[in-house]
Amino acid sequence: MTMMRAIQVPAKGESMKLVEIPIPVPEEGQVLLRIEACGVCNGDSMAIGGASPEYPRIPGHEVIGIVTELGSGSTRWEIGQRVGIGWHGGHDHVTGLTMDGGYAEYMVAFEDSLTHIPNEVSSEEAAPLMCAGKTTFSALRNSSARPGDLVAISGIGGLGHLAVQYAKKAGYQTIAVSRGSDKEKLARELGAHYYIDSEKEDPAKALQALRGAKVILATAPNAKVISTLINGLGKDGELIIVAGSGERLELSAMDFLKGPHTVRGSFTGQSKEIDAAVRFSVLTDVRPMIEVFPLEQASEAYEKMMSAKTRFRAVLSLTK
């Protein structure tokens, strides 16, 4: 077979289309992957919305596949191994933005950008770990929190439902913060020790009643909510933002001085960080909650994800 199915953005401003195009050929230092699953992530909106420097473009940066062909000089992987790739495609490339991604049956990838995927996790469950899992895990792992510290997760969605699991498994006193009492049961099932319903009480005041959080992880892209969370930090607390919003934060100098407090973002994605997230997920049995779609329903999966109607990560499966 020399042709493959792929979901392609033909040109800037145009909608995604299911096309049949030639299977790409790996060049020096690259491998060819037969894709088994690809997560549908908010970051895909950049390529789909017209931000790629070159079109046509195949989106997708939460990719799990099988190595099927080695390019010249490629020695790191063997044919038949299952690997994953995230946002950072290696060699200054962004997967699914400056190079073709995983909304397809095959893709080429630089061998040094790949991560081994162990047998204990399915391809569909592993796909969101390439970005959502890695992002939340790395943010907590690189934070100032230590086992026993109070860590609050704001938002119980695609990022937050993984963050709650990681926080609990890492030994933190885990607080889930979300809107509505209907989220409490799930939050506790994911591992939260406490649940704060922002419709019934001020999250910052509720956190202060628990002596303040060492770390608050903001996983929902709401600038107003994020801005108020700083008041829930304890001394030398950290507010870490992992969900992007174009809105400006409403913070004053006193918000930083009275802690003192730190507000920072966290976005990593090199293969070593992904590998650490995958290994911890397997070791502690952390798994994403996913909704699986076939490749031809990529547009439906994307729209459902963007409207926050997916519970909680959308994944394209090419093995079903």
Side-chain angles (χ1 to χ4, degrees):
M1 184 177 67
T2 60
M3 303 293 285
M4 71 175 186
R5 294 183 308 145
I7 298 294
Q8 196 178 68
V9 182
K12 185 175 180 179
E14 293 189 11
S15 299
M16 291 186 287
K17 294 181 179 179
L18 178 64
V19 298
E20 190 170 278
I21 57 177
I23 295 175
V25 178
E27 299 179 355
E28 184 175 357
Q30 295 181 327
V31 301
L32 177 67
L33 302 180
R34 174 175 54 78
I35 299 172
E36 294 199 330
C38 182
V40 179
C41 182
N42 190 279
D44 297 337
S45 63
M46 296 183 67
I48 295 170
S52 175
E54 183 179 351
Y55 289 90
R57 177 64 66 218
I58 300 172
H61 63 274
E62 292 183 336
V63 188
I64 306 297
I66 305 296
V67 177
T68 60
E69 186 179 337
L70 305 178
S72 174
S74 297
T75 59
R76 183 170 297 191
W77 303 98
E78 297 179 359
I79 291 177
Q81 286 185 294
R82 190 170 59 140
V83 295
I85 184 172
W87 182 258
H88 294 281
H91 301 258
D92 297 320
H93 278 288
V94 177
T95 311
L97 185 65
T98 66
M99 60 183 283
D100 282 337
Y103 287 23
E105 293 179 317
Y106 291 87
M107 72 169 281
V108 293
F110 289 100
E111 64 172 352
D112 53 3
S113 66
L114 299 170
T115 300
H116 169 68
I117 305 300
N119 294 331
E120 289 88 344
V121 59
S122 72
S123 293
E124 288 78 13
E125 290 177 325
L129 301 181
M130 300 299 100
C131 182
K134 167 270 303 176
T135 297
T136 51
F137 173 77
S138 293
L140 292 171
R141 185 191 194 201
N142 297 324
S143 74
S144 59
R146 296 295 178 264
D149 285 343
L150 193 154
V151 171
I153 309 300
S154 176
I156 313 298
L159 293 170
H161 89 286
L162 282 166
V164 170
Q165 294 180 70
Y166 287 133
K168 169 65 181 303
K169 300 289 186 177
Y172 303 136
Q173 185 180 6
T174 304
I175 317 296
V177 182
S178 192
R179 187 175 60 183
S181 58
D182 58 313
K183 301 284 185 66
E184 181 172 1
K185 182 175 184 294
L186 173 63
R188 291 188 180 277
E189 288 174 351
L190 292 171
H193 298 99
Y194 299 94
Y195 178 77
I196 297 174
D197 180 356
S198 62
E199 289 185 340
K200 296 180 177 179
E201 56 184 331
D202 183 327
K205 290 181 179 179
L207 288 171
Q208 287 299 336
L210 295 169
R211 295 185 297 180
K214 182 64 176 180
V215 167
I216 300 175
L217 193 64
T219 73
N222 185 315
K224 185 176 180 179
V225 171
I226 293 173
S227 300
T228 62
L229 289 173
I230 193 171
N231 296 315
L233 292 173
K235 184 178 179 181
D236 295 320
E238 235 182 339
L239 172 58
I240 305 175
I241 303 168
V242 294
S245 169
E247 302 172 348
R248 291 184 176 276
L249 298 178
E250 302 172 3
L251 298 172
S252 71
M254 285 305 299
D255 289 326
F256 294 87
L257 295 174
K258 62 188 178 184
H261 296 142
T262 299
V263 178
R264 65 179 179 87
S266 177
F267 184 78
T268 59
Q270 303 293 342
S271 58
K272 64 179 181 180
E273 281 107 11
I274 294 175
D275 180 66
V278 170
R279 287 189 289 108
F280 186 85
S281 299
V282 170
L283 179 67
T284 61
D285 199 30
V286 171
R287 296 292 187 274
M289 297 175 67
I290 60 175
E291 188 171 345
V292 178
F293 299 81
L295 179 64
E296 56 269 23
Q297 291 183 14
S299 293
E300 177 186 336
Y302 175 74
E303 293 301 328
K304 194 169 184 179
M305 177 275 300
M306 291 296 288
S307 60
K309 294 180 180 178
T310 306
R311 195 175 175 102
F312 283 101
R313 303 295 297 186
V315 177
L316 302 179
S317 175
L318 289 91
T319 61
K320 304 299 184 185

